[in-house]
Amino acid sequence: EKPREDLIRAYHNVCELAERNHFTRIAFPLLSGDHHGYPRDYALECAKEAFATYISDYLEVYLILKQEK
């Protein structure tokens, strides 16, 4: 499950960087969704897991999804 761990770690790393720089909000596109060979549902599950496991009282995190055609 290396790709899953890599995606989750990518989200966590950006959140940590945002907190170190005193951001209070951050918005992400769906990382790897449709563009790197990962199915959208798989990428979305990784994002949901990443945000469920990243605990912060300081940072608000938003996920921006492009509407499928």
Side-chain angles (χ1 to χ4, degrees):
E1 294 242 354
K2 184 88 166 96
R4 180 181 212 90
E5 293 170 4
D6 289 344
L7 281 173
I8 291 168
R9 188 175 318 108
Y11 283 112
H12 285 186
N13 287 343
V14 174
C15 288
E16 290 170 2
L17 182 62
E19 284 197 82
R20 280 198 305 266
N21 286 285
H22 308 287
F23 285 38
T24 57
R25 291 185 197 105
I26 190 167
F28 286 93
L30 182 60
L31 299 180
S32 295
D34 300 328
H35 295 288
H36 299 286
Y38 297 117
R40 181 183 172 95
D41 290 342
Y42 176 81
L44 183 56
E45 286 301 316
C46 291
K48 290 190 319 190
E49 183 176 337
F51 299 137
T53 58
Y54 188 82
I55 306 301
S56 174
D57 293 329
Y58 178 73
L59 186 65
E60 292 179 33
V61 179
Y62 298 88
L63 182 64
I64 307 301
L65 300 174
K66 184 177 106 179
Q67 185 175 4
E68 290 184 300
K69 294 178 183 183

